Amino acid sequence: MNLIAESFSKRRDISIGNFTINDKSPAFLIAEIGNNHNGSIELAYKLVDEAVSAGANCVKFQMRDMESLYSNCGNSNDPSADLGTQYTLDLLEKQQLSTKDMLLIFDYCRAKGVEPLCTPWDEVSVKILDDYGMPAFKVASADLTNHDLLRTIAATHKPMICSTGMSTEQEIIASVNVLKAEGAQFILLHCNSTYPAPFRDLNLHYMKKLQGFGECHVGYSGHERGFYVPLAAVSLGAKVIEKHFTLDRNMEGNDHKVSLIPDEFAEMVLAIRTIEESLGDEFQDRSISQGEMINRENLAKSLVAACDVPKGTVITGEMIAVRSPGKGLPPYKKAELIGTVSNREIKTSDCFYPSDIEMTACRAKNYTFPQPWGIPVRFHDWKKLSPCSNMDFLEFHLSYKDLELNIDDFFNAESNLDFVVHSPELFAGDHILDLCSPDEDYRLFSMNEFRKVTKIALRLKKYFPRNSVPRIVTNIGGFSDHAFLDLKRRKELLANFKRSLDELRSDKYEILPQTMPPFPWHFGGQRYHNIMVEADEIKTLCESEGIKICLDVSHSQLACNYFKWSFREFISKTAPHTSHYHLADAEGLDGEGLQIGDGSIDFSQLSKLMAKLSPGVSFIPEIWQGHKNKGEGFWLALEKLEQYF
């Protein structure tokens, strides 16, 4: 165990072309074509195309100089050759490509954006490949004990990926010692060189031993059926995966029989990338994701008042009960709460909050901003929150149940405030609004649900006469369950939205599509979002359709984090097309709706861009659960935002 632990600190980064293999990198996935081109350069080109489409990082071939490699100069008709040797020589004679064709294929790989690699079986081939500029070399299992060839390859000072099939442990250690003595950069691949290899013989845990022997990164070269074993290898730390690749397993040759066809290789790539994403970091602290927080609120319990608690009262255990949902102090905080003095009036069944312990409650005041501002409200709490400060408008966030309410039950007089409406995402029957859906019935159902939202917006004008044309913020849909969609399908979604928009357009209200994060939370679980994510696409949509957007800066920062975009450039492209802002902080890939200052957004920069590119455009602080404790999260956000505007 000490040997393995020590090796972690000595593993070097290995760069192959533009790909760097290290402790934090994804696995380097090799589509081993070898001689599966069967001597046809046209088939080789097609194999490269399919490997690229399947997601391979590298396409690998084999090169042999038959005259120098075989004692009989590669004569397949040699009557003295063993049966196995005759069979191999016969295949190679039919399947070998010329050196010129091999180099053309390598060039084709690079033109297609994938790294070519090759296994040289002899020193003549090493020189040809080195002169070509091959970025690294693969050493076949059969040559791991060929120390002279190892030294020849090591002398090129190129990285070496060495398979360890066919060798005993003592032979592996001896070869590793040769590589170390030559100062080689190398990776060891665990391998069982039978075709197909029995699962019982694979012993993936041996990779840990290889890691210890080589003090290097390790991987797996598989000849077994299917691709489940490489998935397990990645979960055990493999940084390189090599699988044979073919278009048809019925072609002549052993390698075809153990190869993956393109769809299988693509499925393996997706599964490996999913596993890598799920593995995380063993040294990372456990934290609660945004989706877990949503579910915790819905399913967990919190401390609530068992009776009315007047302000200034010392809180006792008898005044505290534990009830769902979990939107207040968690039950384990009960001991801390007992003995504190209430800093507010608390009604029976009201939640206790962190500020009841910390005595740091932020209360509303009047705020000063150069543009209209408001807060998110629901029908049931707007009367409590709107008198607390000098806001210009309210943004009514609707649930699907709100669409069935009689709004006259919540309003009894005209207000001098303006208003915005935020459409629900979730509708009855687990239906997520999707105005882009390729399923026409689903799209039409979404349209009908959205029309209910427009009717609510128009009815609200009765109580908010300042508003002439209500703005309706909405997530227009365009999500997928398992992966991001390709460009062609994204364009189809946008075309569907444009149809929906044409059918919904009215001069009585304005639809504001909302910018979206790459990984939205639906029902406390995560999906993939495909449109209203990328700045240029949003800009083009606005210009072609003559519409404005709601720019949710938290969502868009998450998109910039994931896709490595400049947030400043994103805002610069979208702000001129913005009619309304949602302001909240963001962190990582899916931490949305955070309190101002708790994430990575530069609000000083943002405020300047907003003033320059969208002056006078309204905003709300859309802090997740900011409405708790009489809007405490909103007031704190506004206090912080004042410093920037």
Side-chain angles (χ1 to χ4, degrees), residues 323-348:
R323 298 284 186 273
S324 285
K327 64 180 184 179
L329 275 176
Y332 71 86
K333 292 284 189 178
K334 183 175 180 179
E336 290 183 56
L337 182 60
I338 293 173
T340 61
V341 178
S342 62
N343 57 12
R344 60 189 175 96
E345 182 182 350
I346 306 169
K347 296 293 185 182
T348 303

Side-chain angles (χ1 to χ4, degrees), residues 140-142 163-167 190-198 201-202 220-223:
S141 291
S163 283
T164 59
M166 307 182 190
S167 294
H190 181 47
C191 179
N192 185 285
S193 298
T194 50
Y195 301 78
D201 291 345
L202 299 183
Y220 177 70
S221 177
H223 303 116

Side-chain angles (χ1 to χ4, degrees), residues 231 234-235 270-282 284:
L231 308 188
V234 168
S235 72
L270 178 60
I272 285 174
R273 298 311 182 211
T274 302
I275 288 168
E276 288 172 333
E277 188 174 1
S278 70
L279 286 174
D281 183 347
E282 63 183 302
Q284 181 178 340

Side-chain angles (χ1 to χ4, degrees), residues 219-239:
Y220 177 70
S221 177
H223 303 116
E224 72 291 330
R225 297 177 178 90
F227 59 81
Y228 294 141
V229 174
L231 308 188
V234 168
S235 72
L236 291 173
K239 304 304 293 186

Side-chain angles (χ1 to χ4, degrees), residues 472-493:
I472 303 174
V473 175
T474 184
N475 169 11
I476 63 174
F479 53 85
S480 49
D481 289 330
H482 303 297
F484 293 114
L485 303 181
D486 59 31
L487 180 60
K488 179 183 176 183
R489 294 175 69 188
R490 277 172 36 208
K491 287 182 176 179
E492 290 172 356
L493 294 183

Side-chain angles (χ1 to χ4, degrees), residues 26-31 50-58 227-228 230-231 234 241 243 245 260-277:
F28 186 63
L29 306 182
I30 302 173
E50 292 292 344
V52 171
S53 295
N57 299 118
C58 167
F227 59 81
Y228 294 141
L231 308 188
V234 168
I241 294 294
K243 283 290 285 183
F245 190 75
L260 298 181
I261 59 176
D263 286 350
E264 293 169 336
F265 198 95
E267 193 174 349
M268 180 189 75
V269 171
L270 178 60
I272 285 174
R273 298 311 182 211
T274 302
I275 288 168
E276 288 172 333
E277 188 174 1

Side-chain angles (χ1 to χ4, degrees), residues 280-294 296 332 521 587-591 594 598:
D281 183 347
E282 63 183 302
F283 301 107
Q284 181 178 340
D285 292 340
R286 177 72 168 91
S287 60
I288 303 174
S289 72
Q290 193 78 13
E292 280 188 308
M293 286 192 282
I294 293 169
R296 175 166 161 163
Y332 71 86
W521 296 105
E587 189 65 49
L589 303 183
D590 52 27
L594 304 186
D598 288 353

